[in-house]
Amino acid sequence: MALRIGQRRLAEKVPDVFVQFGLEQQFRFISHPGVMAVSKLLEMRHIARMRANFTQENIEGMKAFDPELARKAQIAFDHKLPINFQQLEIIEDSLPRLLEEKKQLEAARAAVAKLPVGTYDFPKVDISAARPVPGQKDLQGTQMELAELMDPGCQARLLTGPAKEIASKIASKQLAK
């Protein structure tokens, strides 16, 4: 009898993956490998950035506290742009780039959706307006963009050595635009 029960357990499917999610408040669960990969990517703050999709109700609620921020949120809502609050501060200056980024990302998503199953190579599409990206030479779309605009040279003051010179050059190019 015990042998029969043991054989039945061996025939059951083993869970795909045990996932640990969260850095400070960790919890574990069983998941599909694709879900695990996406959750890990979302957890990496430099890979995926949180962005808000505003509704008209959100904007109306903002008007009571900050009419200027609500006006900028309305711009994002009108153009259907998911945006983080750092980019929201400078949306008027970066709106053309954000619209181009949205168009390029939609084209990239469509190209990836057309790939046959089992093909994992990224298709040849233009994503030059997407920010932040690895190896970029400017501050657009990064966490330091707003800081440099509000306090020019703040990044260079934090760094030492050769990185300080590079940061100064990047900041001066950023401010020239």
Side-chain angles (χ1 to χ4, degrees):
M1 174 120 168
L3 183 60
R4 229 178 6 188
I5 293 173
Q7 287 176 338
R8 191 175 338 137
R9 286 199 172 227
L10 288 175
E12 292 177 3
K13 185 177 182 233
V14 177
D16 290 323
V17 177
F18 289 101
V19 179
Q20 176 177 316
F21 188 73
L23 298 172
E24 294 174 8
Q25 297 179 358
Q26 299 175 355
F27 66 94
R28 294 171 183 85
F29 58 95
I30 300 170
S31 183
H32 185 273
V35 173
M36 183 195 77
V38 170
S39 66
K40 285 295 184 182
L41 286 174
L42 289 174
E43 193 175 60
M44 296 178 192
R45 293 185 180 146
H46 298 289
I47 301 289
R49 310 259 328 258
M50 294 290 191
R51 294 182 174 190
N53 286 308
F54 291 106
T55 63
Q56 199 61 46
E57 288 179 0
N58 299 135
I59 296 168
E60 295 301 322
M62 284 179 171
K63 286 181 182 176
F65 298 100
D66 191 350
E68 181 65 20
L69 190 64
R71 185 183 64 75
K72 293 176 180 181
Q74 185 68 48
I75 294 171
F77 177 74
D78 292 343
H79 294 286
K80 296 180 175 61
L81 287 172
I83 192 162
N84 65 32
F85 281 94
Q86 287 182 334
Q87 288 176 325
L88 188 60
E89 287 290 325
I90 55 174
I91 190 168
E92 294 158 331
D93 299 331
S94 59
L95 186 60
R97 184 189 62 80
L98 291 171
L99 291 173
E100 183 64 25
E101 176 182 3
K102 179 183 174 189
K103 188 175 12 170
Q104 288 179 358
L105 291 178
E106 285 173 355
R109 285 184 193 109
V112 168
K114 291 179 185 175
L115 291 175
V117 176
T119 304
Y120 302 109
D121 296 328
F122 193 75
K124 302 289 185 216
V125 292
D126 180 28
I127 54 169
S128 60
R131 293 285 193 270
V133 293
Q136 77 182 50
K137 304 291 185 204
D138 58 9
L139 296 174
Q140 290 182 344
T142 65
Q143 294 176 343
M144 288 303 296
E145 181 181 23
L146 183 61
E148 277 294 327
L149 289 173
M150 298 296 178
D151 182 17
C154 68
Q155 184 180 16
R157 286 194 301 269
L158 293 174
L159 301 173
T160 59
K164 184 173 187 168
E165 295 170 16
I166 294 169
S168 297
K169 289 178 186 175
I170 290 173
S172 64
K173 287 179 187 176
Q174 181 74 19
L175 295 174
K177 289 183 179 181

